[in-house]
Amino acid sequence: MIQSNYQLIAYSNGEVIWNSGIVTGSESQFIRYDGAELVSRQQVNWNLSVTTVDETGIQETAHSEFARFEMGLLHPADWQAKWIEPESEIDIEDRKPAPYLRRTLEVKPGLKQARIYQTAHGLYEFWINGHTGTEDKFKPGLTSYYARIQIQAYDITKLLKEGSNAWAVMLGDGWWRGMTGGTVKNNFGYKLHYFGQIELTYENGEREVIGTDERFKYATGGMLASDMLMGDIFDARKEFVDWKLAVFDDNSWMNVHCTTEHADVRLIASSSVPVREKEQFTAQPFRDAAGQLVLDFGQNIAGYVKMKLKNCKAGQKIRLVHGEDLKDGCFSLDNIKHGVLQSSEFQEVIYYCSGNAEEEYCPLFSIFGFRYVLVEGYNEDINEGDFTAIAVYSDMEETGSFICSNLLINKLVLNSFWSQKGNFMDVPVDCPTRERNAWTGDAQIYVRTAADFMNVYSFFEKWLKDLSLEQYASGKVGITFPSTSSVHNPVELERNIKDNPLWALAGPSGNGSIGEDSAGWGDAAVWIPYMIYLCYGDKQILVNQYETARKWVDYMLACAKEHNPLYEQESQYLNYEEGELDADYIFDTKMHFGEWLEPITKEDTGESVAEAIIRMRTHGNPRVATAYMCRSAENVAHMAQILGNQEDCTKYKKIADKIRKVYDRYLIGDDGVIEPGHQAAYVRVLAMDLCSEEKRESVVKQLLKEIENNNYRLNTGFLSTPFLLHVLVDYGYSEIAFRILEQTENPSWLHAVLLGSTTILENWDGMDRHHGSYNHYSYGAVCDFLFSRVAGITPLFEAPGYREFELRPIIGGTLTHAEASYECPYGTIRSRWKKTKNGLIYECSVPVNTRARVYLPDGQCISVGSGDYRFSVGA
Ligand code: BGC
């Protein structure tokens, strides 16, 4: 069946504002509204008709239900709100109580609709007459706060009543002045602010606008401190009763004042995928080896615990500490608690009881990475439902699933998915515990797999815009976004350097963490939009990101032209071609994280972190940095071609070819040797096509030798791990790929699975070494190999977004069956194979409006349109 035409009609105020007309063809994605410009608050209803024709020529037309959207406030003039600042004098070193804000407002008879538009410096939660009417958490989300901040809009019509109503707000430190996204407090600012506007529209057409101003009252209550990473201190005895209701007497509360601090920052409609409470887990209580009460939730998540307490005395102190590990049988934070963290409080909730027979607490503004919770100060029996862990993350549509006959691989897939959930909270962070920084490298490594598991288009679209906003004029791209205090807050940078000289290495224009830029990290600027285009097919992401990508490549090329005195005697600095020095195409300057956490190097060096950083800064990393410069130049050339920019396409293609030639000549030995003892060096070259035809076979041989020497265990680090198995399959060694995939000895993906991990670990050390974070998603990137090679579902650049795709399953290892399903923009793709006595059965489903090329293991290739298929392949 295929679509023969569509028609889209949009209405506003009962009138047609856009009619696409009947458009012939099978186009069914990314059709953009093309009517008159929409104005603030405009409500639009739209529906769609689609006509399909089947193989027998029968036509059928279907009409969608109406969908609707409403425009936000588009212009500064729409706002009557002022930014309000509750706090006056504050101590910037201290943790501070959460501001409680409130005012009442009168609603006249005949209310037709009501909206609230709002944001905050910090996090906000709001209540209208005690109800929020939304499940969205961690608002307003994280953006480059000094450049743009998001406004959320909610329909509050049903929460209001005629007469007096209460508008109550609580503020939390959040990313703004919290510790998340670095190791210091006050990441963006020192004071919390709120900005909001309620608009009441009456049946008679009157619109009443109530903006935040001095009429808001302020107090502090039970929430004595709330930081996303450090956690909460809450004294239930100090909490106001009914402060969210109109009847509350706020006479003793103080007045807020208005502020212009950061008030000129651009307000934008929220483009975050809302963060929501998702799965819940019940506690299994036990005593650890030290006799402490510990709750095991069975799954490592990012979220918080909702607790119900009984029979506690007023003022009784309950302490919950959230961690991932049990070391020597005892609850432990050793693997995640940072040496340079500016606080002793870490992932904990301190709750002073009210003394009521039953009481409940659940954090509003803090989020922790944990599987275990240490409970102190509570001695009652714990029943089911008393302590519930709630996973909290960006609520993206789940799109992919994979299972096969190896149960450990199935668990690996679940672990990877959980690490994605645990780290995709408005921005993609490295881990939900220690740093919680949105590291570019981790995200670029994992983006393909992320898109297998969930629809990540909007999630990355938003984050990439911040990446572009923070790109330096030179084209340099930092290592974390939105970058935190080192960039924005010179006072904090100064303080960091004083406290820990390591920070000085960040250099004068540091960007939120150690180091300034890094190949493989900054390349997120290129690779992420490129992969998002491949997976979703929307050119808009390339339109948005092209200039950023191109400038990053130009920056790398400029760095390559700088000389590194360490290498100046080597032949690349002596040879010229067409008037250009060969060394100009080798990126041998700057600091790079390289094959970060490559198992082999860590053991041997005995270097301190500071020494390692100094070495990295002086030596550069020509093999890694030049490889990424080449890949990104190639990607930019392709992006330019897609966008119709032939001139750039030719230019960057030529640059990529030149880098390739120089790489082959100076960085790969004639015998194919690149860096003995490092699989990564060979994987990188083969994955990025950096060697000449003449050396290719020897490079492959070297890789096989390295793998054999390491007893079929991997020893790749962050950057090359995702390519290892792909490369082996591409060069005809799928059995070796499966052997490494199914390996359970360390280093391997399944080692941690065997030891009971429920997420992906940061290090190859395994859980038995109690080292590093247990929830670091990047090594989970192997899951793309499962979706795209083992199940064989592969998108194609010629027809991106799975408009056309390949189904090319690879059968190997101990697997007797494997299957995956993927919800692409057109519908569900299924791919399933099962070994039988006589060979193999392969089944697949191809959605309407797509085509697939099916490559069967016996060498047959069949092109199919939408439908369900079954093939029997002989042994
Ligand atoms: C983070 C990583 C990150 C790295 C940079 C670490 O501390 O946790 O995931 O990419 O630093 O090398």
Side-chain angles (χ1 to χ4, degrees), residues 780-840:
V782 65
C783 288
D784 180 53
F785 179 80
L786 302 173
F787 280 97
S788 70
R789 307 310 284 264
V790 180
I793 305 174
T794 313
L796 301 169
F797 273 108
E798 304 95 88
Y802 296 87
R803 171 137 198 163
E804 281 177 32
F805 53 96
E806 280 183 5
L807 292 170
R808 196 197 276 252
I810 296 179
I811 287 77
T814 69
L815 303 198
T816 53
H817 82 262
E819 64 182 277
S821 80
Y822 180 68
E823 204 58 42
C824 80
Y826 301 89
T828 314
I829 300 172
R830 287 199 180 79
S831 173
R832 175 170 195 260
W833 57 264
K834 191 173 172 36
K835 283 185 177 171
T836 60
K837 224 172 27 201
N838 308 319
L840 184 106

Side-chain angles (χ1 to χ4, degrees), residues 270-387:
S270 185
S271 58
S272 287
V273 178
V275 173
R276 301 249 166 87
E277 292 187 352
K278 302 290 288 179
E279 295 88 339
Q280 305 208 346
F281 300 87
T282 305
Q284 296 298 330
F286 68 98
R287 294 273 161 193
D288 71 5
Q292 309 176 102
L293 175 61
V294 178
L295 309 175
D296 179 0
F297 291 98
Q299 174 64 52
N300 194 345
I301 59 166
Y304 38 69
V305 171
K306 183 174 187 171
M307 62 177 172
K308 292 184 186 160
L309 306 170
K310 49 188 181 287
N311 307 329
C312 294
K313 293 198 191 67
Q316 185 173 332
K317 179 180 173 186
I318 313 285
R319 182 168 171 254
L320 306 185
V321 189
H322 303 69
E324 299 182 307
D325 192 20
L326 297 177
K327 190 175 173 187
D328 303 325
C330 291
F331 176 86
S332 169
L333 290 176
D334 288 358
N335 66 318
I336 42 176
K337 201 168 169 186
H338 231 276
V340 289
L341 201 70
Q342 262 191 355
S343 114
S344 58
E345 288 131 347
F346 177 67
Q347 299 218 120
E348 63 180 57
V349 168
I350 294 175
Y351 178 83
Y352 296 97
C353 298
S354 65
N356 294 341
E358 289 183 355
E359 46 196 307
E360 268 187 38
Y361 186 72
C362 183
L364 256 188
F365 300 129
S366 53
I367 180 163
F368 314 119
F370 67 101
R371 168 179 168 170
Y372 302 103
V373 172
L374 173 73
V375 182
E376 288 175 357
Y378 189 61
N379 302 314
E380 297 298 310
D381 288 342
I382 295 176
N383 299 316
E384 203 177 320
D386 287 353
F387 289 84

Side-chain angles (χ1 to χ4, degrees), residues 39-53:
V39 298
S40 294
R41 308 177 186 89
Q42 189 168 352
Q43 297 179 344
V44 180
N45 297 305
W46 60 278
N47 78 341
L48 165 76
S49 329
V50 172
T51 305
T52 53
V53 55

Side-chain angles (χ1 to χ4, degrees), residues 85 87 90-94 96 121-122 145-146 172-179 184-193 227 261-262 483-486 488-492 495:
E85 180 176 85
E87 300 156 316
I90 50 151
D91 178 346
I92 62 166
E93 303 294 343
D94 254 7
K96 290 163 275 294
H121 295 144
Y145 282 145
Y146 288 2
D173 292 353
W175 291 281
W176 181 260
R177 75 169 176 196
M179 268 211 172
V184 294
K185 296 173 201 147
N186 305 312
N187 267 323
F188 290 88
Y190 298 111
K191 283 189 186 171
L192 303 180
H193 304 132
D227 175 90
E261 218 184 313
H262 309 296
S483 47
T484 45
S485 50
S486 307
H488 297 306
N489 192 334
V491 182
E492 289 303 318
R495 280 168 13 115

Side-chain angles (χ1 to χ4, degrees), residues 430 434-435 439 442 521 593 596 718 762 776:
D430 56 342
R434 190 187 63 206
E435 284 165 57
W439 284 91
D442 306 37
W521 271 251
F593 295 111
W596 187 246
F718 255 44
E762 175 178 20
H776 239 77

Side-chain angles (χ1 to χ4, degrees), residues 6 46 50 78 132 142 147 184 211 507 578 679 749:
Y6 74 85
W46 60 278
V50 172
D78 292 323
T132 67
L142 178 60
V184 294
E578 291 172 5
Q679 293 168 10
W749 286 281

Side-chain angles (χ1 to χ4, degrees), residues 3 26 75 154 163 177-178 204 220 343 428 432 471-472 481 494 505 576 582 654 700 736 861 874:
Q3 171 188 314
S26 62
H75 310 289
Y154 295 106
R177 75 169 176 196
N204 63 7
T220 60
S343 114
Q471 183 174 35
Y472 293 73
F481 290 98
E494 260 321 290
L505 297 167
Y576 287 82
D582 282 354
K654 198 169 154 217
V700 174
I736 297 183
C861 173

Side-chain angles (χ1 to χ4, degrees), residues 529-547:
Y530 192 55
M531 286 297 109
I532 293 289
Y533 172 70
L534 170 68
C535 296
Y536 300 99
D538 189 2
K539 260 190 208 168
Q540 188 61 42
I541 196 84
L542 300 186
V543 174
N544 295 354
Q545 298 302 135
Y546 179 74
E547 272 309 292

